[in-house]
Amino acid sequence: MAGLVFYGLAGLTLLSAMAVVFARSPVYAVLFLILSFFTSAGIFLLLDAEFLAMVLVIVYVGAVAVLFLFVVMMLDVDQKHLEKLRHYPWKSFFKAALRSGVLAGVFLGVFYMAKQLWGDKVVFLSDEGPLTHSFILAAMSFAVAYALYWPLSKWRFLLPSESAETVAWVEGALQFLIFAGVMTYVLFGAPSLEIKKEVFDAGGAPLSTTDALSHLLYSVYVIPFQGVGVILVVAIVAAIALCLRHRPGVRRQDVQHQLKTTKEDVLSLSQPKVGKGVEWTSR
Amino acid sequence: MLDNFLMDLKLVQSELVLLGGGLILLLMTLFPKRSKEFFPLFSVGIILMAFAVLFIPSGSWNSVDGMQGFFASLEASPLSQSFRGYFLALAAFVLLVGGSITIEKEKTAPEGYSLILFSITGGALLLSANDFFVAFVALEMMSLSLYAYVAFWSDGANAKEAAMKYFITGAVSSSFFLMGVAFIYGLTGACQFDEIANLMKLESETFLSSPLWYLGIGFLLAGLGFKMALAPFHLWVPDVYQGASTQSLLLIGVLPKLATLGFSILLLKGPFSLVYEELGVAITFLAVLSMGWGALGALTQRNFRRLMGYSAVANMGFVAIGLLPGDEISLASMNYLLIYSIGFVAVIGLVAYLQNQGLSLETVDDFVYVRQVPEAYRLLLALLMFSLAGVPPLAGFFGKFVVFKHALQHGYTFAVFAGIFVSVVSAAYYLRIIKALYFDALPEGTEGLVAETPLRQSFLVYRLSNLASVGLAAITILFAFVLSFL
């Protein structure tokens, strides 16, 4: 059951992340980004890391993504440039997808063969081993990355280098490494988290990570925690004090002045004579 | 539970007072119509209150015996309590001098003073830290507020350069510090000073043979050296000293140095006590390099502020001599730093005061014009210069004497001879100012040019700045008698 939910969420994350790339309107792209944040928060929940999930939603969705949205709405996006994106080379995409699928299949085949041969002896390769999941996910992400980057190489204007294929390979390999690293960390790190939880578990039900974290933050680390709060105050004061300066010669809006302005201050009526025009008087 | 918490709160009473003062100042931005004297005086009052509150946990000055709190992340030992006392007293002095002098030239904004109070909070917290987490957060609190304060008054290219350089070098030094903490945590698995000290005793063989240990201590010393402006890490000093406003210069020239020096002494006496002996060579290297580089740099400077910057580097070299490992807890370095800091505050304050009178004292040669103001100022400046150079009846001599005595007692002859040599060399640039004060002739046509610009200063400001600079000078001179009893 948990596996089903996980693959559903992961698939949705991947789909919405792809939609971020492919959405023609940048606003839609940011909205898809928010969706992918939500689904990754769901994955965090599955991993019993509900604090991380909430932080992801509050910080990234509530603050960062909304800022993104503001910025995107303020940008003057050139629609004509976007038109070029419409003619996506589907043919080469399918070719590349086929190729990367075969490649991922080869990877997985080699991996399973190794597992069959040495699965009893090497812990990494056993069913509980952390490498299994990370390897499958990494192979999947590699395949997706390869399938995406290959057709991109047809569009030279999007890529910095001439040999676009190399770029695609490099990026795919990078994704592979990143994904493998993250997954290994998550799966290796989880047991140590369990140990930390046991420290604060006073014989009853195991604490959630939020409980464990808050116990730590408000007991052992209360001074650094509050100190960081003071530092944030300092940062806010500094940012406001450094940016809000009333320099002479700088035009700025003065609401009080605007509100107090009357008709007599800004409006003057005159009766111009024919052919003379109105004389300009600056206030 | 609640009793425990209330007991723990006693450890941070002075920090809470400072923090509350800073927040009240922030609220005061809502009511901006206040006299200019109000904010500096309010801040000085807050600091004095924190100073008074500091000794409540013990009931007396020096009888706290390693009281710990907040899960042993803070500790109030006699040593750290006295360091916090020095720190707060010096901070009050600096604010009194700086606030009264800069009141006319710079706009008074409460947020600036609240930044200063936050910075002092960080410094006081750093001195009671018993945990690397607390220490890092406190260090950042102290320095971030100071970066912001330096940038706060940055009008003009020099000032902007100073703000930028101070910020960037400070950030680099913080990362060095953090790297050192990471190495030590990686080796010992502990961040609390007591735990590290215990582990050191239990498994000293493993630790002392590990390169991680020395790498960690090296990074820590480098990070603290940046803040203290010791020699290979001092490159920001001259530019920042030249560009910063008077008030920020007084703050950054005195407070971070004292706090980090106190923290270093506590570190070397606490968790690193077993390797303290072996660090003698490294500290000697830092000391000799700082003294030499600072003195040689100051010799070539014409700009007064830059000269004071290089002289600060040289003086921190003398402080590092006092930090050399010894048998008992030696406070030679703290003594020296206190005497130097008071002299520094007095000199910078006096010069800024004379600049407010309309004198232009940018370069060393400009000091000929000091004879245009009343004679007492010239005498005071000359005495302060003699004190900085270390001429016997004055306080500067006793600072150097105590430091050299400490190093000689523990067999660091090379450092002592280097120090004596450098103090002879460094006398040259202090004497150059005295030469300009007394022996150089005024340039043609400027004899009658007495600064007659009437000062738009309120009575209180006038009295305060006079009182503060004269009082500090008197303390610098009288310190000799206090110390001669040691």
Side-chain angles (χ1 to χ4, degrees):
Chain A
M1 181 59 200
L4 207 66
V5 177
F6 170 75
Y7 285 112
L9 283 172
L12 209 57
T13 310
L14 276 179
L15 280 179
S16 56
M18 271 166 71
V20 173
V21 182
F22 290 115
R24 215 165 286 140
S25 155
V27 178
Y28 283 5
V30 176
L31 290 176
F32 276 120
L33 187 69
I34 293 174
L35 179 63
S36 72
F37 282 149
F38 268 114
T39 47
S40 356
I43 295 176
F44 276 133
L45 274 181
L46 273 185
L47 292 171
D48 275 345
E50 69 278 346
F51 182 71
L52 269 185
M54 288 307 119
V55 165
L56 190 74
V57 170
I58 292 169
V59 175
Y60 278 88
V61 178
V64 178
V66 171
L67 268 184
F68 268 11
L69 210 56
F70 278 144
V71 172
V72 162
M73 283 174 173
M74 279 194 276
L75 285 179
D76 187 21
V77 181
D78 188 4
Q79 288 290 335
K80 272 184 195 158
H81 180 72
L82 292 176
E83 281 301 302
K84 283 192 215 162
L85 294 173
R86 185 167 289 178
H87 308 291
Y88 190 80
W90 285 110
K91 209 171 158 188
S92 56
F93 174 78
F94 286 125
K95 265 196 221 164
L98 197 69
R99 255 186 270 182
S100 58
V102 170
L103 210 63
V106 169
F107 273 144
L108 285 180
V110 169
F111 179 69
Y112 276 111
M113 222 156 75
K115 195 175 152 186
Q116 288 296 320
L117 287 176
W118 304 298
D120 334 326
K121 290 164 195 158
V122 187
V123 187
F124 280 169
L125 297 175
S126 67
D127 278 338
E128 284 77 31
L131 217 59
T132 313
H133 301 281
S134 57
F135 198 88
I136 294 169
L137 272 168
M140 274 168 58
S141 78
F142 178 71
V144 171
Y146 187 69
L148 283 178
Y149 279 114
W150 173 254
L152 281 181
S153 70
K154 299 282 180 210
W155 302 342
R156 286 294 162 85
F157 66 94
L158 280 180
L159 288 167
S161 162
E162 278 299 306
S163 58
E165 201 175 343
T166 336
V167 177
W169 268 99
V170 168
E171 301 241 30
L174 271 179
Q175 277 221 344
F176 174 85
L177 284 177
I178 292 168
F179 225 93
V182 169
M183 288 312 292
T184 335
Y185 175 75
V186 166
L187 294 167
F188 266 126
S192 57
L193 268 183
E194 290 294 324
I195 295 167
K196 285 250 164 162
K197 270 200 261 177
E198 279 166 21
V199 173
F200 287 92
D201 182 14
L207 286 175
S208 63
T209 50
T210 316
D211 278 342
L213 267 176
S214 54
H215 272 113
L216 275 175
L217 279 184
Y218 285 100
S219 62
V220 181
Y221 298 116
V222 64
I223 292 287
F225 185 65
Q226 299 293 333
V228 169
V230 177
I231 290 177
L232 280 178
V233 172
V234 168
I236 293 170
V237 172
I240 295 173
L242 291 184
C243 297
L244 190 77
R245 302 191 136 190
H246 299 278
R247 287 203 196 87
V250 176
R251 291 172 179 235
R252 39 182 28 283
Q253 194 176 14
D254 186 354
V255 180
Q256 284 296 320
H257 180 72
Q258 285 177 340
L259 289 176
K260 275 189 232 153
T261 306
T262 56
K263 194 173 83 179
E264 284 72 31
D265 294 335
V266 291
L267 190 70
S268 64
L269 295 172
S270 66
Q271 282 200 320
K273 287 182 178 143
V274 180
K276 285 280 176 72
V278 187
E279 197 181 333
W280 169 256
T281 51
S282 67
R283 276 182 299 278
Chain B
M1 191 71 186
L2 188 65
D3 286 347
N4 275 341
F5 181 64
L6 289 180
M7 283 299 287
D8 283 356
L9 270 190
K10 283 188 176 178
L11 285 174
V12 285
Q13 265 166 340
S14 49
E15 282 88 348
L16 287 180
V17 169
L18 289 166
L19 200 61
L23 293 175
I24 290 172
L25 273 177
L26 273 187
L27 281 181
M28 279 180 188
T29 43
L30 289 175
F31 314 104
K33 290 212 168 63
R34 242 165 242 284
S35 70
K36 287 186 163 183
E37 290 90 5
F38 179 78
F39 297 118
L41 284 182
F42 180 82
S43 318
V44 170
I46 290 287
I47 296 172
L48 290 180
M49 206 200 285
F51 182 78
V53 149
L54 182 64
F55 297 102
I56 286 182
S58 58
S60 70
W61 271 67
N62 272 339
S63 68
V64 211
D65 196 19
M67 178 180 165
Q68 288 186 341
F70 291 108
F71 293 83
S73 61
L74 292 181
E75 179 173 354
S77 62
L79 202 59
S80 72
Q81 285 293 94
S82 56
F83 286 169
R84 288 161 90 193
Y86 297 150
F87 181 73
L88 291 178
L90 209 56
F93 265 132
V94 165
L95 267 193
L96 198 63
V97 175
S100 55
I101 280 166
T102 55
I103 222 166
E104 283 295 314
K105 290 186 82 177
E106 292 164 350
K107 61 181 179 182
T108 40
E111 57 264 31
Y113 283 99
S114 77
L115 283 178
I116 293 175
L117 284 184
F118 288 145
S119 168
I120 293 167
T121 314
L125 194 62
L126 179 67
L127 287 173
S128 59
N130 194 34
D131 188 315
F132 274 122
F133 287 120
V134 180
F136 181 69
V137 167
L139 199 67
E140 279 306 285
M141 203 192 290
M142 177 176 73
S143 8
L144 264 177
S145 324
L146 279 184
Y147 308 148
Y149 191 75
V150 173
F152 197 46
W153 304 117
S154 63
D155 296 325
N158 272 346
K160 286 203 170 63
E161 186 195 350
M164 210 61 210
K165 274 196 177 157
Y166 190 51
F167 175 55
I168 291 173
T169 52
V172 169
S173 79
S174 296
S175 57
F176 268 81
F177 181 86
L178 207 56
M179 196 70 216
V181 173
F183 277 130
I184 287 168
Y185 181 70
L187 184 69
T188 61
C191 263
Q192 249 171 39
F193 294 169
D194 296 347
E195 271 182 57
I196 294 175
N198 283 338
L199 283 169
M200 278 294 297
K201 270 172 203 147
L202 290 176
E203 297 178 55
S204 57
E205 295 287 311
T206 343
F207 287 161
L208 292 180
S209 61
S210 165
L212 273 184
W213 181 245
Y214 293 98
L215 215 55
I217 292 180
F219 270 105
L220 272 182
L221 279 186
L224 294 172
F226 261 111
K227 302 265 185 246
M228 284 196 279
L230 281 170
F233 319 111
H234 72 287
L235 296 168
W236 54 276
V237 173
D239 293 323
V240 174
Y241 273 48
Q242 188 186 6
S245 71
T246 307
Q247 171 85 292
S248 354
L249 174 62
L250 288 174
L251 287 168
I252 62 181
V254 168
L255 296 188
K257 283 176 187 166
L258 203 146
T260 38
L261 177 72
F263 180 64
S264 316
I265 292 176
L266 292 173
L267 266 188
L268 291 171
K269 295 289 178 198
F272 299 154
S273 47
L274 278 186
V275 278
Y276 193 8
E277 287 293 324
E278 296 174 36
L279 291 175
V281 182
I283 296 175
T284 311
F285 171 75
L286 286 178
V288 173
L289 199 65
S290 310
M291 290 187 304
W293 204 328
L296 290 181
L299 272 182
T300 60
Q301 290 305 322
R302 307 306 297 173
N303 185 296
F304 174 68
R305 285 267 186 103
R306 293 182 80 85
L307 189 152
M308 286 312 283
Y310 276 110
S311 117
V313 175
N315 278 298
M316 289 316 287
F318 288 106
V319 170
I321 290 185
L323 210 56
L324 284 167
D327 298 332
E328 78 286 355
I329 292 178
S330 151
L331 296 176
S333 54
M334 190 49 91
N335 244 330
Y336 187 91
L337 186 65
L338 277 177
I339 292 174
Y340 164 70
S341 299
I342 292 173
F344 175 81
V345 172
V347 168
I348 296 289
L350 203 56
V351 168
Y353 177 70
L354 293 178
Q355 279 172 335
N356 278 4
Q357 305 274 343
L359 292 179
S360 151
L361 296 176
E362 286 296 312
T363 66
V364 174
D365 297 328
D366 286 345
F367 277 78
V368 273
Y369 299 117
V370 175
R371 67 190 64 176
Q372 292 171 336
V373 293
E375 181 63 28
Y377 292 110
R378 191 156 68 142
L379 188 66
L380 262 183
L381 261 181
L383 277 176
L384 285 170
M385 285 300 150
F386 274 127
S387 172
L388 280 178
V391 171
L394 302 173
F397 167 75
F398 287 91
K400 286 196 169 87
F401 177 74
V402 172
V403 160
F404 289 155
K405 191 177 129 210
H406 162 76
L408 264 186
Q409 272 174 350
H410 299 99
Y412 295 97
T413 330
F414 171 67
V416 173
F417 276 104
I420 291 171
F421 181 71
V422 166
S423 42
V424 173
V425 172
S426 65
Y429 49 82
Y430 297 123
L431 287 179
R432 222 168 60 199
I433 293 175
I434 293 171
K435 172 169 162 278
L437 282 176
Y438 277 96
F439 301 106
D440 282 353
L442 275 170
E444 290 291 317
T446 54
E447 285 90 349
L449 200 83
V450 181
E452 278 178 0
T453 42
L455 286 167
R456 263 190 331 103
Q457 278 185 334
S458 63
F459 180 69
L460 182 62
V461 177
Y462 184 75
R463 288 300 294 276
L464 262 185
S465 48
N466 249 334
L467 207 86
S469 41
V470 172
L472 281 184
I475 287 172
T476 320
I477 294 155
L478 282 177
F479 231 103
F481 299 107
V482 179
L483 277 178
S484 55
F485 288 109
L486 288 179

